Amino acid sequence: MAARHVAERPTRLAHNGPVNDFASLLTPEGRALLAEVRGTDPARELAVATRLRRDHPAALVSAALAQARLRERAAAKFGAADAGRMFFTPHGVEQATRTSVAAHRAERLRALGVRSAADLCCGIGGDAIALARAGIRVLAVDRDPLTCAVARANAEALGLAELIEVREADVSDVDTSGHDAVFVDPARRGGRGRIFDPEAYSPPLSWAVAAALKAPYAALKIAPGIPHEAVPAEAEAEWISDGGDVKEAVLWFGTEPGAVRATLLPGPRSLLGRGLPDPPVREPGRYLYEPDGAVIRAHLVAEVAAELGGGLLDGTIAYITADEPLTTPYATAYEITDRLPFNVKRLKALLRERGVGILTVKKRGSAVEPEELRRKVKPQGPHSATVFLTRVAGAPTMLLGHPVEGP
């Protein structure tokens, strides 16, 4: 019923073309077009558009085809089922949180007893959706009219409208005192691309921290490259990876001030920092361990090295070496078969001797580009191998090996 209500009476704003164009997609005609163009082959898009414009307004046909393309892009973050029902903007797809990460954050808040949250800078509503699915009532705020219209439509499309109130406002004007938690996802992109200075976020990190300290609990989404010295003393810092790719960092308030953790999804598996000193530098052992990116960003390589009874190949590089093939979720293990100083000709000869045709190149502490090395060595043969371009005690070194099979 809710979806039909939106479709029959779409919101229209005077002198607001983008919102009005979007509203037309929520009409019965717009929804029918969306269903018709779903899965359109990009190569046939022009022909499909030409045919549909005979019976439908050109602007509506263009909007439907654009939305179909956005839904296909969004499937990687939201899953095909949700993405196929949701609505997006190009910026919204780019900035939206991956569902698995948003669900992890929402579950942490639910476990803390949070029942209501203010989602500031809500975008197209991805985080609000995760919070609502965790049973948390959400006030979702954004100052952009089109973004709010899309977020509202997404709440309706996924049957969560009763739990999500979307409000068009400047976040600095919103009273969050009636909520158990505040979630802030500042914009970290500008006209020139990514913004690296936290005070250049919109809103600035200092404003977001001040808003967080007013609530019993808060979570601030920030770029994973934030300097550790920029983390407020009152916050817990969590770095999150999904499938081995680092996705974001979160500053938590009301949990464990000063704590640092790396969380790996799916799972979740969470490694809490113990303040260990840097691992010792040692000669390469039989096994090399490559820590997960979240572990590296969280500066918790020492915790993983201690778990493995290992040390570092070089004091400035996050490769752990050890003598035993131990299993840890926080690092990928490789058995090292060969060690040689950096020399392309020697590597090429070794690969030819071993019949290696599938070569994975990994590097830390080396200026050589993996594709450049592959072109030079021209791997051929039925076997596979991994080569690490790194330093051992400061010397450029190549380590050849292969992943250790899991138990």
Side-chain angles (χ1 to χ4, degrees):
M1 294 297 291
R4 285 199 297 271
H5 175 78
V6 171
E8 290 164 3
R9 293 201 293 274
T11 301
R12 285 187 174 271
L13 301 181
H15 311 299
N16 201 325
V19 176
N20 293 338
D21 289 344
F22 172 71
S24 66
L25 289 175
L26 304 181
T27 64
E29 181 182 14
R31 291 180 184 274
L33 265 179
L34 282 171
E36 188 167 352
V37 301
R38 182 174 184 174
T40 297
D41 184 340
R44 297 191 62 252
E45 195 169 282
L46 180 59
V48 170
T50 301
R51 174 177 59 81
L52 292 175
R53 283 168 183 159
R54 296 170 190 158
D55 303 309
H56 304 281
L60 181 57
V61 172
S62 296
L65 286 167
Q67 196 60 225
R69 290 194 298 270
L70 291 172
R71 285 176 167 180
E72 289 181 3
R73 284 176 53 194
K77 286 187 175 182
F78 290 89
D82 280 355
R85 292 184 289 165
M86 293 172 66
F87 298 89
F88 302 95
T89 65
H91 181 75
V93 171
E94 182 70 26
Q95 293 296 302
T97 304
R98 183 179 291 264
T99 291
S100 55
V101 179
H104 164 70
R105 272 197 265 96
E107 176 55 28
R108 280 202 69 178
L109 289 171
R110 186 205 64 78
L112 290 168
V114 170
R115 295 294 173 262
S116 66
D119 177 2
L120 308 181
C121 311
C122 69
I124 61 170
D127 290 288
I129 288 165
L131 291 166
R133 283 177 166 167
I136 298 171
R137 186 170 295 279
V138 186
L139 170 63
V141 182
D142 203 284
R143 65 184 180 184
D144 179 64
L146 174 59
T147 300
C148 287
V150 173
R152 197 172 289 113
N154 286 336
E156 293 276 358
L158 299 180
L160 299 168
E162 291 187 359
L163 285 172
I164 300 175
E165 174 195 348
V166 179
R167 183 182 301 176
E168 182 188 334
D170 191 299
V171 294
S172 62
D173 296 331
V174 176
D175 180 8
T176 62
S177 59
H179 298 277
D180 301 329
V182 167
F183 173 70
V184 188
D185 180 6
R188 295 179 301 284
R189 281 185 178 272
R192 298 183 178 180
R194 291 185 183 275
I195 297 172
F196 297 98
D197 177 6
E199 284 307 298
Y201 293 173
S202 180
L205 180 61
S206 57
W207 182 91
V209 170
L213 292 173
K214 296 176 183 177
Y217 298 102
L220 311 184
K221 177 180 172 180
I222 55 175
I226 185 172
H228 280 232
E229 56 268 24
V231 175
E234 305 93 334
E236 168 198 336
E238 178 184 30
W239 278 262
I240 303 173
S241 67
D242 187 10
D245 294 328
V246 181
K247 295 302 179 184
E248 67 179 55
V250 186
L251 301 183
W252 292 92
F253 295 81
T255 53
E256 301 177 66
V260 176
R261 72 174 68 238
T263 296
L264 281 55
L265 302 176
R269 295 180 180 273
S270 194
L271 178 67
L272 186 63
R274 293 183 282 152
L276 298 182
D278 291 340
V281 176
R282 52 157 288 182
E283 278 291 299
R286 184 174 178 182
Y287 297 93
L288 181 149
Y289 293 84
E290 181 182 26
D292 183 272
V295 170
I296 296 173
R297 293 280 194 174
H299 296 180
L300 298 182
V301 173
E303 278 73 4
V304 177
E307 179 183 327
L308 297 170
L312 299 180
L313 292 172
D314 184 277
T316 62
I317 296 176
Y319 280 145
I320 299 169
T321 184
D323 299 315
E324 300 295 332
L326 302 179
T327 300
T328 174
Y330 304 111
T332 303
Y334 296 83
E335 183 175 5
I336 300 303
T337 57
D338 299 271
R339 170 188 174 183
L340 55 158
F342 183 82
N343 186 299
V344 175
K345 288 184 178 179
R346 287 186 60 182
L347 177 63
K348 184 176 181 178
L350 183 60
L351 295 176
R352 187 185 302 115
E353 177 187 326
R354 302 281 172 82
V356 172
I358 303 172
L359 182 66
T360 300
V361 182
K362 292 179 173 288
K363 68 165 194 167
R364 288 193 186 280
S366 172
V368 177
E369 291 301 324
E371 287 305 319
E372 177 189 354
L373 182 67
R374 284 195 195 89
R375 284 195 300 269
K376 289 181 177 179
V377 299
K378 299 181 177 65
Q380 293 180 345
H383 304 300
S384 61
T386 300
V387 61
F388 293 88
L389 308 179
T390 187
R391 293 195 304 269
V392 173
T397 303
M398 298 186 292
L399 300 173
L400 194 69
H402 54 81
V404 175
E405 298 295 332

